[in-house]
Amino acid sequence: MAPDRTPDQVRAAAAAMDRARAAGLPDDVLLIMLAAREAFWGEAPWPSHTDLGRVLAEPAAQIVDEVLWWAIRNRMRGSR
């Protein structure tokens, strides 16, 4: 289960998403990352490898959540 987030954490996450979008992150890639975050916490299945690959191909994706970006990267490397 995902941990509860404080209002400050929610604001920081929203600001990171805004910075990533301003840096050119497409909306659909952000949605993939949000789905991957749910999967990371065990609340949903992981997005497809194709979708996760799209996240890794976007340099601005790491701005959203570096820990999640590394989890996606490690998941993709482990599936080879």
Side-chain angles (χ1 to χ4, degrees):
M1 187 169 136
D4 290 334
R5 299 177 107 185
T6 67
D8 285 342
Q9 289 172 318
V10 172
R11 280 191 290 277
M17 290 179 207
D18 286 344
R19 284 191 306 276
R21 291 187 66 233
L25 185 70
D27 290 340
D28 58 331
V29 175
L30 180 58
L31 291 175
I32 295 166
M33 291 190 76
L34 294 174
R37 181 181 287 161
E38 288 182 15
F40 179 80
W41 290 108
E43 297 174 348
W46 281 91
S48 71
H49 284 214
T50 301
D51 284 346
L52 294 178
R54 289 192 60 219
V55 170
L56 296 180
E58 287 290 341
Q62 202 166 356
I63 296 169
V64 175
D65 185 332
E66 189 169 353
V67 172
L68 178 61
W69 188 91
W70 280 99
I72 292 168
R73 182 178 174 268
N74 290 339
R75 182 171 181 81
M76 293 293 286
R77 282 191 165 183
S79 67
R80 288 182 184 178

